[in-house]
Amino acid sequence: MFTGIVEEIGEVTAVEPSGDGVRLTVRAPQAVSDAAHGDSISISGVCLTVVDQGEDWFTADVMKQTLDMSTLAEVGPGLAVNVERATRAHGRLGGHIVQGHIDGTGEVLEVRRGEQWRVLRISLAADHAPLVVDKGSIAVDGVSLTVSAVSGAGSPTQWFEVSLIPETLEATTLGARRAGDVVNLETDILARHVQRLLAFTSPAAAQAADSPAALAASTEGGSR
């Protein structure tokens, strides 16, 4: 379990084939300072399990399903990634409850710049759009953010916007995002539970919950 408060920007140092998945090595000194074999670490929103580590790096296996659903399929040496260790039960919940089990990806459609802030408009799959609400929470590349605008229910293309403060721009990889970039998305777990509960009483909600994208998200469990 994570909170979406990025602790450091790590760097991918190696990507090696491993069956139908890959073995990913990330340089992340802070994350490995107290890490142990089997610990969970979020890499740009995807929960990975430590299988090996050194003084300032760790290695994790990424299975095919995770590669198919996330941006990790495109990572290579030198890529910057957001890193967060699993939260402690007695710690502060500074962001929101983030599982590291992403729903899928979205495309950055627009970047609007202000003097000290930046607004990103990101596409949403139609199946995920009902789970994202104005002023609600969403994790983008593992960063806990507040939704600042959403498209209308009848819009032919679904999107949401997030407004990034200077700290977020500097402390995460979102400051480097440009139109056309693809990002990992995790909707609010509470919204997903509500949708599933409604599926047993509402035919329309049942159809949405049983869609291919929703079923894939429900079975995607990171790389544990």
Side-chain angles (χ1 to χ4, degrees):
M1 193 72 68
F2 308 92
T3 69
I5 304 300
V6 172
E7 296 182 283
E8 65 180 320
I9 296 179
E11 179 185 355
V12 175
T13 59
V15 181
E16 302 174 354
S18 178
D20 60 357
V22 299
R23 178 159 283 198
L24 187 70
T25 300
V26 178
R27 182 183 179 276
Q30 185 172 345
V32 300
S33 63
D34 63 351
H37 185 89
D39 281 358
S40 295
I41 298 180
S42 171
I43 297 299
S44 291
V46 179
C47 177
L48 300 179
T49 301
V50 176
V51 298
D52 193 11
Q53 67 188 100
E55 183 178 350
D56 65 351
W57 58 270
F58 77 94
T59 297
D61 291 319
V62 187
M63 62 184 180
K64 183 179 184 300
Q65 184 181 23
T66 302
L67 295 175
D68 291 342
M69 292 190 65
S70 73
T71 60
L72 294 188
E74 307 300 326
V75 301
L79 182 72
V81 290
N82 295 321
V83 181
E84 181 190 355
R85 290 169 290 185
T87 188
R88 299 181 186 276
H90 64 272
R92 292 187 175 90
L93 186 61
H96 71 284
I97 296 174
V98 178
Q99 294 185 299
H101 303 163
I102 67 168
D103 295 287
T105 60
E107 180 184 349
V108 178
L109 302 175
E110 180 185 353
V111 178
R112 300 198 304 276
R113 299 173 181 269
E115 290 186 9
Q116 293 183 305
W117 49 272
R118 202 168 299 171
V119 175
L120 302 186
R121 177 174 290 191
I122 300 171
S123 67
L124 265 177
D127 293 334
H128 301 149
L131 304 176
V132 180
V133 299
D134 188 25
K135 303 303 184 291
S137 296
I138 193 166
V140 178
D141 275 349
V143 183
S144 174
L145 299 169
T146 300
V147 177
S148 55
V150 291
S151 55
S155 175
T157 57
Q158 293 294 319
W159 52 262
F160 70 96
E161 291 184 349
V162 288
S163 300
L164 310 181
I165 62 174
E167 173 65 17
T168 303
L169 296 173
E170 181 177 349
T172 76
T173 60
L174 296 184
R177 290 298 177 214
R178 302 290 182 268
D181 287 350
V182 178
V183 293
N184 294 320
L185 302 178
E186 181 183 334
T187 58
D188 191 342
I189 181 61
L190 297 179
R192 298 206 299 268
H193 275 301
V194 170
Q195 183 186 64
R196 177 62 176 167
L197 288 169
L198 290 175
F200 288 91
T201 58
S202 166
Q207 184 176 4
D210 291 336
S211 67
L215 291 174
S218 68
T219 58
E220 195 280 322
S223 295
R224 296 190 57 77

Coordinates of all heavy atoms in Angstrom, one line a residue, residues 38-118:
G38 N 11.8 -9.0 -0.8 CA 10.3 -9.1 -0.7 C 9.6 -7.9 -0.4 O 8.3 -7.9 -0.5
D39 N 10.2 -6.8 -0.2 CA 9.5 -5.5 0.1 C 8.9 -5.0 -1.2 O 9.3 -5.3 -2.3 CB 10.5 -4.5 0.7 CG 10.8 -4.6 2.1 OD1 10.2 -5.6 2.7 OD2 11.6 -3.9 2.7
S40 N 7.9 -4.2 -1.0 CA 7.2 -3.5 -2.1 C 7.7 -2.1 -2.3 O 7.8 -1.4 -1.4 CB 5.6 -3.5 -1.9 OG 5.1 -4.8 -1.8
I41 N 8.0 -1.8 -3.6 CA 8.4 -0.4 -3.9 C 7.6 -0.1 -5.2 O 7.5 -0.8 -6.2 CB 9.9 -0.3 -4.2 CG1 10.6 -0.7 -2.9 CG2 10.3 1.1 -4.7 CD1 12.2 -0.6 -3.1
S42 N 7.0 1.1 -5.2 CA 6.3 1.6 -6.4 C 7.2 2.3 -7.3 O 8.0 3.2 -7.0 CB 5.2 2.6 -5.9 OG 4.6 3.2 -7.0
I43 N 7.2 1.9 -8.6 CA 7.9 2.5 -9.7 C 7.0 3.1 -10.7 O 6.3 2.4 -11.4 CB 8.9 1.5 -10.4 CG1 9.9 1.0 -9.4 CG2 9.6 2.2 -11.6 CD1 10.8 2.0 -8.8
S44 N 6.9 4.5 -10.6 CA 5.9 5.2 -11.5 C 4.5 4.6 -11.4 O 3.8 4.5 -12.4 CB 6.4 5.2 -12.9 OG 7.6 6.0 -13.1
G45 N 4.2 4.3 -10.2 CA 2.8 3.8 -9.9 C 2.6 2.4 -9.9 O 1.5 1.9 -9.6
V46 N 3.6 1.6 -10.3 CA 3.4 0.1 -10.4 C 4.1 -0.5 -9.2 O 5.3 -0.3 -9.0 CB 4.0 -0.4 -11.7 CG1 3.9 -1.9 -11.7 CG2 3.3 0.2 -12.9
C47 N 3.4 -1.3 -8.4 CA 3.9 -2.0 -7.3 C 4.9 -3.1 -7.7 O 4.4 -4.1 -8.4 CB 2.8 -2.6 -6.4 SG 3.4 -3.5 -5.0
L48 N 6.1 -3.1 -7.3 CA 7.1 -4.1 -7.7 C 7.7 -4.7 -6.4 O 7.6 -4.1 -5.3 CB 8.2 -3.6 -8.5 CG 7.8 -3.0 -9.9 CD1 9.0 -2.4 -10.6 CD2 7.1 -4.0 -10.7
T49 N 8.2 -5.9 -6.5 CA 8.7 -6.6 -5.3 C 10.2 -6.8 -5.4 O 10.7 -7.2 -6.5 CB 8.1 -8.0 -5.2 OG1 6.7 -7.9 -5.1 CG2 8.7 -8.8 -4.0
V50 N 11.0 -6.4 -4.4 CA 12.4 -6.4 -4.4 C 12.9 -7.9 -4.4 O 12.5 -8.7 -3.5 CB 13.0 -5.7 -3.2 CG1 14.5 -5.9 -3.1 CG2 12.6 -4.2 -3.2
V51 N 13.7 -8.3 -5.4 CA 14.2 -9.6 -5.5 C 15.7 -9.6 -5.3 O 16.3 -10.7 -5.0 CB 13.8 -10.3 -6.8 CG1 12.3 -10.5 -6.9 CG2 14.4 -9.6 -8.0
D52 N 16.4 -8.5 -5.5 CA 17.8 -8.3 -5.3 C 18.1 -6.9 -5.0 O 17.3 -6.0 -5.4 CB 18.6 -8.8 -6.5 CG 20.1 -9.0 -6.2 OD1 20.4 -9.0 -5.0 OD2 20.8 -9.2 -7.2
Q53 N 19.2 -6.6 -4.3 CA 19.5 -5.2 -4.1 C 20.9 -5.0 -3.7 O 21.7 -5.9 -3.4 CB 18.6 -4.7 -2.9 CG 19.0 -5.3 -1.5 CD 18.0 -4.9 -0.5 OE1 17.1 -5.7 -0.1 NE2 18.2 -3.7 0.1
G54 N 21.4 -3.7 -3.9 CA 22.7 -3.4 -3.5 C 22.7 -2.1 -2.7 O 21.7 -1.7 -2.2
E55 N 23.8 -1.4 -2.7 CA 23.9 -0.2 -1.8 C 23.0 0.9 -2.2 O 22.4 1.6 -1.4 CB 25.4 0.3 -1.9 CG 25.6 1.5 -0.9 CD 27.0 2.0 -1.0 OE1 27.9 1.3 -1.5 OE2 27.3 3.1 -0.4
D56 N 22.8 1.1 -3.5 CA 21.9 2.1 -4.0 C 20.9 1.7 -5.1 O 20.4 2.5 -5.8 CB 22.7 3.3 -4.4 CG 23.5 3.1 -5.7 OD1 23.6 1.9 -6.1 OD2 24.1 4.0 -6.2
W57 N 20.7 0.4 -5.2 CA 19.9 -0.1 -6.3 C 19.0 -1.3 -5.9 O 19.4 -2.0 -4.9 CB 20.7 -0.5 -7.5 CG 21.7 -1.6 -7.2 CD1 23.0 -1.3 -6.8 CD2 21.6 -3.0 -7.3 NE1 23.7 -2.5 -6.6 CE2 22.8 -3.6 -6.9 CE3 20.5 -3.8 -7.6 CZ2 23.0 -4.9 -6.8 CZ3 20.7 -5.2 -7.5 CH2 21.9 -5.7 -7.1
F58 N 18.0 -1.6 -6.6 CA 17.2 -2.9 -6.4 C 16.7 -3.4 -7.7 O 16.6 -2.7 -8.7 CB 16.1 -2.6 -5.4 CG 14.9 -2.0 -6.0 CD1 13.8 -2.7 -6.5 CD2 14.8 -0.6 -6.1 CE1 12.7 -2.1 -7.1 CE2 13.7 0.1 -6.7 CZ 12.6 -0.7 -7.2
T59 N 16.5 -4.7 -7.7 CA 16.0 -5.4 -8.9 C 14.6 -6.0 -8.6 O 14.4 -6.5 -7.5 CB 17.0 -6.4 -9.4 OG1 18.2 -5.8 -9.7 CG2 16.4 -7.2 -10.6
A60 N 13.7 -5.9 -9.6 CA 12.4 -6.5 -9.5 C 12.0 -7.2 -10.8 O 12.4 -6.8 -11.9 CB 11.4 -5.4 -9.1
D61 N 11.2 -8.2 -10.7 CA 10.6 -8.9 -11.8 C 9.3 -8.2 -12.2 O 8.5 -8.0 -11.4 CB 10.4 -10.4 -11.6 CG 11.7 -11.1 -11.4 OD1 12.6 -10.9 -12.2 OD2 11.8 -12.0 -10.5
V62 N 9.1 -8.0 -13.5 CA 7.9 -7.4 -14.0 C 7.2 -8.4 -15.0 O 7.8 -8.8 -16.0 CB 8.2 -6.1 -14.8 CG1 6.8 -5.4 -15.2 CG2 9.0 -5.1 -13.9
M63 N 6.0 -8.9 -14.6 CA 5.4 -9.9 -15.4 C 4.7 -9.3 -16.7 O 4.5 -8.1 -16.8 CB 4.4 -10.7 -14.6 CG 3.2 -9.8 -14.0 SD 2.2 -10.9 -13.0 CE 0.9 -9.7 -12.5
K64 N 4.4 -10.2 -17.6 CA 3.8 -9.7 -18.9 C 2.6 -8.9 -18.7 O 2.4 -7.9 -19.4 CB 3.6 -10.9 -19.8 CG 3.1 -10.6 -21.2 CD 2.8 -11.8 -22.0 CE 2.4 -11.4 -23.4 NZ 1.2 -10.6 -23.5
Q65 N 1.7 -9.3 -17.9 CA 0.4 -8.6 -17.7 C 0.7 -7.1 -17.3 O 0.0 -6.2 -17.8 CB -0.5 -9.2 -16.7 CG -1.8 -8.6 -16.5 CD -2.7 -9.2 -15.5 OE1 -2.2 -9.9 -14.6 NE2 -4.0 -9.1 -15.6
T66 N 1.7 -6.9 -16.4 CA 2.0 -5.6 -16.0 C 2.6 -4.8 -17.1 O 2.3 -3.6 -17.3 CB 3.0 -5.6 -14.8 OG1 2.4 -6.4 -13.7 CG2 3.3 -4.2 -14.3
L67 N 3.5 -5.4 -17.9 CA 4.0 -4.8 -19.1 C 2.9 -4.4 -20.1 O 3.0 -3.3 -20.7 CB 5.0 -5.7 -19.8 CG 6.3 -6.1 -19.0 CD1 7.1 -7.1 -19.8 CD2 7.1 -4.8 -18.7
D68 N 1.9 -5.2 -20.3 CA 0.9 -4.9 -21.2 C 0.0 -3.8 -20.7 O -0.6 -3.1 -21.6 CB 0.0 -6.2 -21.4 CG 0.7 -7.3 -22.1 OD1 1.7 -7.1 -22.8 OD2 0.2 -8.5 -22.0
M69 N -0.1 -3.6 -19.4 CA -1.0 -2.6 -18.9 C -0.4 -1.2 -18.5 O -1.1 -0.3 -18.3 CB -1.7 -3.1 -17.6 CG -2.7 -4.2 -17.9 SD -3.6 -4.6 -16.4 CE -4.6 -3.1 -16.2
S70 N 1.0 -1.2 -18.5 CA 1.6 0.0 -18.0 C 2.7 0.5 -19.0 O 3.0 -0.1 -20.0 CB 2.3 -0.4 -16.7 OG 3.4 -1.2 -16.9
T71 N 3.3 1.6 -18.6 CA 4.4 2.2 -19.4 C 5.7 1.5 -19.2 O 6.7 1.8 -19.8 CB 4.6 3.7 -19.0 OG1 4.9 3.8 -17.6 CG2 3.3 4.4 -19.3
L72 N 5.8 0.5 -18.3 CA 7.0 -0.2 -18.0 C 7.5 -1.0 -19.2 O 8.7 -1.4 -19.3 CB 6.9 -1.1 -16.8 CG 6.7 -0.4 -15.4 CD1 6.8 -1.4 -14.3 CD2 7.7 0.7 -15.2
A73 N 6.6 -1.3 -20.1 CA 7.0 -2.0 -21.3 C 8.0 -1.2 -22.2 O 8.8 -1.7 -23.0 CB 5.8 -2.4 -22.2
E74 N 8.0 0.1 -22.0 CA 8.8 1.0 -22.8 C 10.0 1.5 -22.1 O 10.8 2.3 -22.6 CB 8.0 2.2 -23.3 CG 6.6 1.8 -24.0 CD 6.9 1.0 -25.2 OE1 7.9 1.2 -25.9 OE2 6.1 0.1 -25.5
V75 N 10.3 1.1 -20.8 CA 11.4 1.7 -20.1 C 12.7 1.1 -20.6 O 12.8 0.1 -21.2 CB 11.3 1.4 -18.6 CG1 10.0 1.9 -18.0 CG2 11.4 -0.1 -18.3
G76 N 13.8 2.0 -20.4 CA 15.1 1.6 -20.8 C 16.1 2.2 -19.9 O 15.7 3.1 -19.1
P77 N 17.4 1.8 -19.9 CA 18.4 2.4 -19.1 C 18.4 3.9 -19.3 O 18.4 4.5 -20.4 CB 19.7 1.8 -19.6 CG 19.2 0.4 -20.1 CD 17.9 0.7 -20.8
G78 N 18.5 4.6 -18.1 CA 18.6 6.1 -18.1 C 17.3 6.8 -17.9 O 17.2 8.0 -17.7
L79 N 16.2 6.0 -18.0 CA 14.8 6.6 -17.8 C 14.6 7.0 -16.3 O 14.9 6.2 -15.4 CB 13.7 5.7 -18.2 CG 12.3 6.2 -18.1 CD1 12.1 7.3 -19.2 CD2 11.3 5.1 -18.3
A80 N 14.1 8.2 -16.1 CA 13.7 8.6 -14.7 C 12.4 8.1 -14.4 O 11.4 8.1 -15.2 CB 13.7 10.2 -14.7
V81 N 12.2 7.6 -13.1 CA 11.0 7.0 -12.6 C 10.7 7.6 -11.2 O 11.6 7.9 -10.5 CB 11.0 5.5 -12.6 CG1 11.1 5.0 -14.0 CG2 12.2 5.0 -11.8
N82 N 9.4 7.6 -10.9 CA 9.0 8.0 -9.5 C 9.1 6.8 -8.6 O 8.7 5.7 -9.0 CB 7.5 8.5 -9.5 CG 7.4 9.8 -10.3 OD1 8.3 10.7 -10.3 ND2 6.3 9.9 -11.1
V83 N 9.6 7.0 -7.4 CA 9.9 5.9 -6.5 C 9.2 6.2 -5.1 O 9.4 7.3 -4.6 CB 11.4 5.7 -6.3 CG1 11.6 4.5 -5.3 CG2 12.1 5.4 -7.6
E84 N 8.5 5.2 -4.6 CA 7.9 5.3 -3.3 C 8.0 4.0 -2.6 O 7.5 3.0 -3.2 CB 6.5 5.8 -3.3 CG 5.8 6.0 -2.0 CD 4.4 6.2 -2.0 OE1 3.8 6.4 -3.1 OE2 3.7 6.3 -0.9
R85 N 8.5 3.9 -1.4 CA 8.4 2.7 -0.6 C 7.0 2.5 0.0 O 6.2 3.5 0.1 CB 9.4 2.8 0.6 CG 10.8 2.8 0.2 CD 11.7 3.1 1.4 NE 11.6 4.6 1.7 CZ 12.4 5.2 2.6 NH1 13.2 4.5 3.3 NH2 12.2 6.5 2.8
A86 N 6.6 1.3 0.3 CA 5.3 1.0 0.9 C 5.2 1.8 2.2 O 6.2 2.0 2.9 CB 5.2 -0.5 1.1
T87 N 4.0 2.3 2.4 CA 3.8 3.2 3.6 C 3.8 2.3 4.9 O 3.4 1.2 4.9 CB 2.5 4.0 3.5 OG1 2.4 4.9 4.6 CG2 1.3 3.1 3.5
R88 N 4.2 2.9 6.0 CA 4.1 2.2 7.3 C 2.7 2.4 7.9 O 2.1 3.5 7.7 CB 5.2 2.8 8.2 CG 6.6 2.6 7.8 CD 7.6 3.1 8.8 NE 9.0 3.1 8.3 CZ 9.8 2.0 8.3 NH1 9.3 0.9 8.9 NH2 11.0 2.0 7.9
A89 N 2.2 1.5 8.6 CA 0.9 1.5 9.2 C 0.7 2.7 10.1 O -0.4 3.2 10.3 CB 0.5 0.2 9.9
H90 N 1.8 3.1 10.8 CA 1.7 4.2 11.7 C 2.1 5.6 11.1 O 2.2 6.6 11.8 CB 2.6 3.9 12.9 CG 4.1 3.9 12.6 ND1 4.7 2.7 12.2 CD2 5.0 4.9 12.6 CE1 6.0 3.0 11.9 NE2 6.2 4.2 12.2
G91 N 2.3 5.6 9.8 CA 2.7 6.8 9.1 C 1.5 7.7 8.7 O 0.4 7.3 8.8
R92 N 1.9 8.9 8.3 CA 0.8 9.8 7.9 C 0.4 9.5 6.4 O 1.2 9.1 5.6 CB 1.3 11.3 7.9 CG 1.6 11.8 9.3 CD 1.9 13.3 9.2 NE 2.1 13.9 10.5 CZ 3.2 13.9 11.2 NH1 4.3 13.4 10.7 NH2 3.3 14.5 12.4
L93 N -0.9 9.6 6.2 CA -1.5 9.4 4.9 C -1.5 10.7 4.2 O -2.6 11.4 4.1 CB -2.9 8.7 4.9 CG -3.5 8.3 3.6 CD1 -2.7 7.3 2.9 CD2 -4.9 7.8 3.9
G94 N -0.4 11.1 3.6 CA -0.3 12.5 3.0 C -1.0 12.6 1.7 O -1.4 13.7 1.4
G95 N -1.1 11.5 1.0 CA -1.8 11.6 -0.3 C -3.2 10.9 -0.2 O -4.1 11.4 0.5
H96 N -3.3 9.8 -0.8 CA -4.5 9.0 -0.7 C -4.1 7.5 -0.8 O -3.0 7.2 -1.0 CB -5.6 9.3 -1.7 CG -5.3 8.9 -3.1 ND1 -4.4 9.6 -3.9 CD2 -5.8 7.9 -3.9 CE1 -4.4 9.0 -5.1 NE2 -5.2 8.0 -5.1
I97 N -5.1 6.6 -0.6 CA -4.7 5.2 -0.6 C -4.4 4.8 -2.1 O -5.3 4.8 -2.9 CB -5.9 4.3 0.0 CG1 -6.1 4.6 1.4 CG2 -5.6 2.8 -0.2 CD1 -7.3 4.0 2.1
V98 N -3.2 4.3 -2.3 CA -2.8 3.9 -3.6 C -2.3 2.5 -3.5 O -1.4 2.2 -2.7 CB -1.7 4.8 -4.2 CG1 -1.2 4.4 -5.5 CG2 -2.2 6.3 -4.2
Q99 N -2.8 1.6 -4.3 CA -2.4 0.2 -4.3 C -1.2 -0.2 -5.1 O -0.5 -1.2 -4.8 CB -3.5 -0.7 -4.7 CG -4.7 -0.6 -3.8 CD -5.8 -1.6 -4.2 OE1 -6.3 -1.5 -5.3 NE2 -6.1 -2.6 -3.3
G100 N -0.9 0.6 -6.1 CA 0.2 0.2 -7.1 C -0.3 -0.8 -8.1 O 0.4 -1.4 -8.8
H101 N -1.7 -0.9 -8.2 CA -2.3 -1.8 -9.1 C -3.0 -0.9 -10.1 O -4.2 -0.5 -9.9 CB -3.3 -2.7 -8.5 CG -2.7 -3.6 -7.4 ND1 -3.4 -4.2 -6.5 CD2 -1.4 -3.9 -7.1 CE1 -2.6 -4.9 -5.6 NE2 -1.4 -4.7 -6.0
I102 N -2.4 -0.5 -11.2 CA -2.9 0.5 -12.1 C -4.1 0.0 -12.9 O -4.2 -1.2 -13.1 CB -1.8 1.1 -13.0 CG1 -1.3 0.0 -14.0 CG2 -0.7 1.7 -12.2 CD1 -0.5 0.6 -15.1
D103 N -4.9 0.9 -13.3 CA -6.1 0.6 -14.2 C -5.6 0.5 -15.7 O -6.3 -0.2 -16.5 CB -7.2 1.6 -14.1 CG -7.8 1.6 -12.7 OD1 -8.5 0.7 -12.3 OD2 -7.5 2.6 -11.9
G104 N -4.6 1.2 -16.0 CA -4.1 1.2 -17.4 C -3.4 2.5 -17.6 O -2.8 3.1 -16.6
T105 N -3.3 3.0 -18.8 CA -2.6 4.2 -19.1 C -3.5 5.3 -19.8 O -4.6 5.0 -20.2 CB -1.4 3.9 -20.1 OG1 -2.0 3.3 -21.3 CG2 -0.5 2.9 -19.5
G106 N -3.0 6.5 -19.8 CA -3.6 7.6 -20.4 C -2.6 8.4 -21.2 O -1.4 8.3 -20.9
E107 N -3.0 9.2 -22.1 CA -2.1 10.0 -22.9 C -2.3 11.5 -22.5 O -3.4 12.0 -22.3 CB -2.4 9.9 -24.4 CG -1.6 10.8 -25.3 CD -1.9 10.7 -26.8 OE1 -2.8 9.8 -27.1 OE2 -1.4 11.5 -27.5
V108 N -1.2 12.1 -22.3 CA -1.2 13.6 -22.0 C -1.7 14.3 -23.3 O -1.0 14.2 -24.3 CB 0.2 14.1 -21.6 CG1 0.1 15.6 -21.4 CG2 0.7 13.4 -20.4
L109 N -2.8 14.9 -23.2 CA -3.4 15.6 -24.4 C -3.0 17.0 -24.5 O -2.9 17.5 -25.6 CB -5.0 15.5 -24.3 CG -5.6 14.1 -24.2 CD1 -7.1 14.2 -24.0 CD2 -5.3 13.3 -25.5
E110 N -2.7 17.6 -23.4 CA -2.4 19.1 -23.4 C -1.7 19.5 -22.1 O -1.9 18.9 -21.0 CB -3.8 19.9 -23.4 CG -3.6 21.4 -23.5 CD -4.9 22.1 -23.4 OE1 -6.0 21.4 -23.5 OE2 -4.9 23.3 -23.3
V111 N -0.8 20.4 -22.2 CA 0.0 20.9 -21.1 C -0.2 22.4 -21.1 O 0.2 23.1 -22.1 CB 1.5 20.6 -21.1 CG1 2.2 21.2 -19.9 CG2 1.7 19.1 -21.1
R112 N -0.8 23.0 -20.1 CA -1.0 24.4 -20.0 C -0.1 25.0 -18.9 O -0.2 24.5 -17.7 CB -2.5 24.8 -19.7 CG -3.4 24.3 -20.8 CD -4.8 25.0 -20.8 NE -5.4 24.9 -19.5 CZ -6.2 23.9 -19.1 NH1 -6.4 22.9 -19.9 NH2 -6.8 23.9 -17.9
R113 N 0.7 25.9 -19.2 CA 1.7 26.5 -18.3 C 1.2 27.8 -17.6 O 0.6 28.6 -18.3 CB 3.0 26.7 -18.9 CG 3.6 25.4 -19.5 CD 4.9 25.7 -20.3 NE 5.4 24.5 -20.9 CZ 6.4 23.8 -20.3 NH1 6.9 24.2 -19.1 NH2 6.8 22.7 -20.8
G114 N 1.4 27.9 -16.3 CA 1.2 29.1 -15.6 C 2.6 29.6 -15.2 O 3.6 29.1 -15.5
E115 N 2.6 30.7 -14.4 CA 3.8 31.2 -13.9 C 4.5 30.3 -13.0 O 5.8 30.1 -13.0 CB 3.6 32.6 -13.2 CG 3.2 33.7 -14.1 CD 3.1 35.0 -13.4 OE1 3.5 35.1 -12.2 OE2 2.6 36.0 -14.0
Q116 N 3.8 29.6 -12.1 CA 4.4 28.7 -11.1 C 3.7 27.3 -11.1 O 4.1 26.4 -10.4 CB 4.3 29.3 -9.7 CG 5.2 30.5 -9.5 CD 5.1 31.0 -8.1 OE1 4.0 31.2 -7.5 NE2 6.3 31.1 -7.4
W117 N 2.7 27.1 -11.9 CA 2.0 25.9 -11.9 C 1.8 25.4 -13.3 O 2.1 26.0 -14.3 CB 0.6 26.1 -11.2 CG -0.1 27.2 -11.8 CD1 0.0 28.5 -11.3 CD2 -1.0 27.3 -12.9 NE1 -0.8 29.4 -12.1 CE2 -1.4 28.6 -13.0 CE3 -1.5 26.3 -13.7 CZ2 -2.3 29.0 -14.0 CZ3 -2.4 26.7 -14.7 CH2 -2.8 28.0 -14.9
R118 N 1.3 24.2 -13.5 CA 1.1 23.6 -14.8 C -0.2 22.7 -14.7 O -0.4 22.0 -13.7 CB 2.3 22.7 -15.2 CG 2.4 22.5 -16.7 CD 3.8 21.9 -16.9 NE 4.9 22.8 -16.5 CZ 6.2 22.5 -16.5 NH1 6.5 21.3 -16.8 NH2 7.1 23.4 -16.1

